[in-house]
Amino acid sequence: MRQIAAFAACAALLAATTTGCGVDLDAEEVHATRSFPFTGGTLTINSSLGGVRVLQGTGGTVRVERWLRGKAVTDDPAWSLRDGTLRLSAACSLVLGDCGARYHVRVPPGVRLSVDARDGVILNGLTQDVDVNSLDRIQVTGASGRLRLRSEGPITGENLTSRYVRGRTSDGAIDVAFAGPPTTLDLQSHDGRVTARVPAGSYAVTARSKEGSERSEVDHDRDVPRKIVARSTTGDVRILER
């Protein structure tokens, strides 16, 4: 889509001028690394441009790797950690050609996280509680803390041992798989399929779809403490046994 937009803009410039149009459609990434001392109990990560991958790090330090390309390299990119908030900023406004950013953030164990990144979030192997908000895809692998996930795109989870997971998306599928049984699983998609894969056992299950079908393979018992609620407006709902 970025390249199509660049070609369209270039064609418009050629129609209006006789000087031609040079557009870099495959800009090289510029890599940098920075570490920030951190000893707080809660960390907020805010990215204005670019996806963020969050990984387990070591105590006392937040380590950030940054890859920028195109105009984002020269248009005053910034990163800072103040008052418990890590701000990652870059810009691609009014740009022809390739432009973007991506980040890897390694965080201390035991620090509660809040992540707001418009271009997608990946969580890898985190043990702490995490809240995520994104306009794009959220992917989680190997998490064990409480998860609250809100997206305008798809949500996926693999090898989860989190006891509490809440997922909401307005436009995309939800597909999560657990290595250990969740105690509270609450999933809802406005426009997409909802699939949960959980270990064998008894669960109090509520599966609802307004325009799709519903299926649950697990033992259903309303009196057990483990609860699964899965809902979709337009997609099928599946509770499957791993």
Side-chain angles (χ1 to χ4, degrees):
M1 289 300 292
R2 184 182 292 113
Q3 292 185 354
I4 292 172
F7 280 125
C10 192
L13 287 176
L14 286 172
T17 71
T18 58
T19 58
C21 178
V23 175
D24 186 356
L25 297 177
D26 191 18
E28 290 188 10
E29 289 186 316
V30 176
H31 176 250
T33 302
R34 185 173 177 183
S35 294
F36 300 90
F38 183 79
T39 57
T42 301
L43 176 67
T44 298
I45 301 171
N46 190 306
S47 171
S48 62
L49 172 74
V52 176
R53 183 189 297 266
V54 187
L55 308 100
Q56 203 77 79
T58 57
T61 301
V62 174
R63 184 173 184 269
V64 183
E65 288 188 85
R66 180 179 72 183
W67 291 263
L68 304 178
R69 65 183 187 276
K71 188 170 181 285
V73 178
T74 58
D75 196 14
D76 295 325
W79 43 8
S80 65
L81 177 53
R82 297 188 186 94
D83 300 325
T85 298
L86 176 68
R87 291 182 172 85
L88 309 170
S89 62
C92 282
S93 58
L94 300 175
V95 65
L96 297 179
D98 196 10
C99 179
R102 60 188 179 95
Y103 303 89
H104 288 183
V105 182
R106 294 188 179 273
V107 298
V111 174
R112 180 179 176 84
L113 296 177
S114 177
V115 185
D116 190 338
R118 58 179 296 125
D119 295 324
V121 176
I122 298 174
L123 308 179
N124 284 135
L126 299 181
T127 59
Q128 57 262 76
D129 297 348
V130 188
D131 293 355
V132 178
N133 184 54
S134 180
L135 301 181
D136 209 327
R137 177 185 296 272
I138 297 174
Q139 299 174 246
V140 186
T141 302
S144 58
R146 292 167 61 94
L147 301 175
R148 296 170 60 90
L149 313 173
R150 180 176 292 274
S151 173
E152 292 188 15
I155 296 173
T156 61
E158 277 292 334
N159 198 33
L160 304 180
T161 56
S162 301
R163 295 302 183 98
Y164 176 97
V165 176
R166 185 178 189 269
R168 295 288 186 274
T169 177
S170 58
D171 185 17
I174 299 177
D175 192 333
V176 293
F178 287 79
T183 301
T184 300
L185 179 58
D186 183 0
L187 307 174
Q188 183 173 344
S189 172
H190 179 73
D191 188 13
R193 174 178 289 188
V194 175
T195 305
R197 297 172 173 85
V198 297
S202 296
Y203 302 84
V205 176
T206 300
R208 297 284 184 269
S209 177
K210 289 186 178 180
E211 299 180 17
S213 61
E214 303 131 0
R215 187 174 90 230
S216 175
E217 296 178 351
V218 300
D219 294 335
H220 177 56
D221 185 346
R222 291 193 176 277
D223 295 327
V224 299
R226 296 189 300 214
K227 301 185 184 303
I228 298 175
V229 177
R231 294 170 289 179
S232 176
T233 301
T234 62
D236 298 337
V237 173
R238 300 286 185 265
I239 311 300
L240 307 177
E241 186 176 294
R242 292 198 72 169

